[in-house]
Amino acid sequence: MDNQLKDAISRAVIQALENRRSPLQQIHEVPIAVSNRHVHLSRKALDRLFGRGYELKKWKDLSQPGQFAAQETVDLIGPKGIIRNVRVLGPSRGDTQVEISLFDGFTLGSHPPIRDSGDLADSSPITIQGPRGQLKLDRGLICAARHIHMHPNDAIRFGVSEGQRVSIQVPGARAVTFDNVLIRVSPKYRLEMHIDLDEANAANLKTGQIGYLSRA
């Protein structure tokens, strides 16, 4: 077999392999943000904890448009412990939601379920102490499941859709793959994956590092 024929066969084999590449092998970069414990308050909860008509004061803007960390903090009271000075995020929401890590749950003596944000059915009870009052909730305490915020243009570019679950690979000394990552799509969102402090520490990650999404 002459060299010209060998080259032709090699090119054909390479092309065939390229054509068979899974779409999952088409890689996209996603910035990662580490989310510490925090509280989202309803209007009613804000009145109870800080006084009727109280408005949150912005401390700093968050990466997602329109969201901010407030100057205000509250204390979380569980069956066995207290976590003090937990940051309130604004603006206020329809339902009060408290997001902690599983390790925080040990401190409080609680066992929060791992849930997508907003899924509060049968979530754990929690007591919140503010400067003007205390609020005892029958539900609302969760460990937020890992997720990615995306603008619709990003979703089109990545070939994914709202509610889809994907995997994110993160290289490094503690290389890790995050599975079951929820895709959330809205014109109000900026591209960013959110993980909690436990996940970040396990993988030695800091806010701003890059993960790689394999297009589904």
Side-chain angles (χ1 to χ4, degrees):
M1 185 180 296
D2 61 32
N3 290 336
Q4 187 174 3
L5 181 56
K6 287 180 181 178
D7 289 343
I9 292 173
S10 295
R11 288 194 297 271
V13 170
I14 292 171
Q15 184 63 53
L17 290 173
E18 286 296 318
N19 291 340
R20 291 177 61 188
R21 280 168 61 92
S22 165
L24 288 174
Q25 292 174 294
Q26 300 179 37
I27 304 300
H28 299 277
E29 294 185 353
V30 178
I32 297 172
V34 180
S35 181
N36 202 353
R37 66 183 78 99
H38 59 270
V39 177
H40 300 279
L41 296 176
S42 67
R43 179 66 259 176
K44 183 177 180 181
L46 194 58
D47 289 343
R48 178 69 175 272
L49 297 172
F50 291 91
R52 185 173 297 278
Y54 188 89
E55 295 295 337
L56 293 173
K57 299 176 178 61
K58 184 187 294 186
W59 175 46
K60 65 178 181 179
D61 289 316
L62 299 177
S63 56
Q64 295 304 311
Q67 304 296 304
F68 62 90
Q71 296 178 23
E72 292 77 10
T73 63
V74 295
D75 296 338
L76 303 181
I77 304 172
K80 295 183 179 179
I82 299 175
I83 299 178
R84 300 191 184 279
N85 301 318
V86 178
R87 186 71 56 187
V88 177
L89 303 189
S92 60
R93 289 191 175 185
D95 292 310
T96 295
Q97 178 173 295
V98 179
E99 299 180 32
I100 64 172
S101 69
L102 294 178
F103 183 81
D104 288 334
F106 288 112
T107 302
L108 293 172
S110 299
H111 302 282
I114 299 173
R115 293 286 183 79
D116 297 330
S117 180
D119 181 7
L120 302 180
D122 300 318
S123 55
S124 297
I126 187 66
T127 297
I128 307 174
Q129 180 66 56
R132 298 289 297 275
Q134 187 178 93
L135 180 62
K136 294 184 178 181
L137 299 175
D138 294 329
R139 65 173 196 169
L141 180 69
I142 65 169
C143 177
R146 56 184 75 124
H147 57 279
I148 301 173
H149 293 281
M150 279 190 187
H151 188 276
N153 291 342
D154 296 313
I156 292 171
R157 179 163 56 94
F158 286 17
V160 297
S161 58
E162 167 72 25
Q164 188 172 340
R165 305 275 175 174
V166 298
S167 295
I168 296 288
Q169 292 83 39
V170 184
R174 285 190 164 184
V176 66
T177 297
F178 293 106
D179 294 325
N180 300 316
V181 184
L182 176 68
I183 297 291
R184 295 216 141 155
V185 181
S186 169
K188 298 179 181 179
Y189 290 159
R190 172 187 172 189
L191 180 63
E192 191 172 62
M193 175 179 174
H194 288 178
I195 59 175
D196 71 21
L197 202 56
D198 285 354
E199 294 173 310
N201 286 338
N204 193 31
L205 290 176
K206 293 183 173 64
T207 292
Q209 289 186 243
I210 298 297
Y212 299 90
L213 182 150
S214 299
R215 191 174 71 184

